[in-house]
Amino acid sequence: MIVPWNEISHRYREVVESGEINARGMLRLVEQIEASPYSQALYGWTSMLDLCIVQVPCTYPYNGPYLRISPRGDGTMEFRYVDTNIESRQWHRIVKDGEAFQRLERFIDQLHGAGEDA
């Protein structure tokens, strides 16, 4: 289910304030998305602590390809583009929390470049 960015940031803020799990990097990333033009072009939802992002609104997430960003608890996040059920074929990167927004921007650039005619 697609959720507005302000609700997603509220969810991560609650997790950070509870102190149970370190989700500061996820909160920072969502706040950066929310403050950027991407907030009007990307759609998201959460699954546990993972952030899932699509470019086209959908009624049932997981119907098509999506980007899943997962906190790893060690100051890094895993970016995984789920476009096939074969995990070894999925694009994925691990980045430091502070580099997550830049990785997201590069991912979007790469995704658009892959669909362009040569």
Side-chain angles (χ1 to χ4, degrees):
M1 176 172 95
I2 300 300
V3 178
W5 288 107
N6 64 334
E7 289 182 31
I8 294 172
S9 65
H10 179 76
R11 173 174 166 19
Y12 283 113
R13 192 170 295 106
E14 286 180 335
V15 172
V16 167
E17 289 172 358
S18 77
E20 294 178 35
I21 300 171
N22 184 358
R24 289 187 193 286
M26 295 299 289
L27 175 59
R28 185 174 343 141
L29 173 61
V30 170
E31 288 175 339
Q32 289 173 308
I33 294 170
E34 193 175 8
S36 77
Y38 295 120
S39 68
Q40 302 301 310
L42 299 176
Y43 305 89
W45 71 92
T46 58
S47 176
M48 301 296 284
L49 282 182
D50 294 349
L51 172 64
C52 301
I53 299 174
V54 292
Q55 291 183 299
V56 178
C58 55
T59 55
Y60 183 74
Y62 316 115
N63 270 352
Y66 65 97
L67 177 64
R68 186 180 69 225
I69 304 171
S70 308
R72 298 186 52 194
D74 63 354
T76 64
M77 295 179 196
E78 179 183 25
F79 281 63
R80 181 170 293 276
Y81 188 56
V82 182
D83 59 345
T84 176
N85 288 329
I86 304 168
E87 190 171 314
S88 64
R89 292 187 178 183
Q90 296 169 353
W91 174 95
H92 64 97
R93 300 289 185 275
I94 295 174
V95 300
K96 294 178 183 175
D97 286 357
E99 300 170 1
F101 188 74
Q102 290 79 16
R103 178 70 264 180
L104 176 64
E105 290 184 305
R106 286 192 309 270
F107 171 78
I108 292 168
D109 287 344
Q110 290 172 339
L111 189 62
H112 288 165
E116 295 174 2
D117 292 331

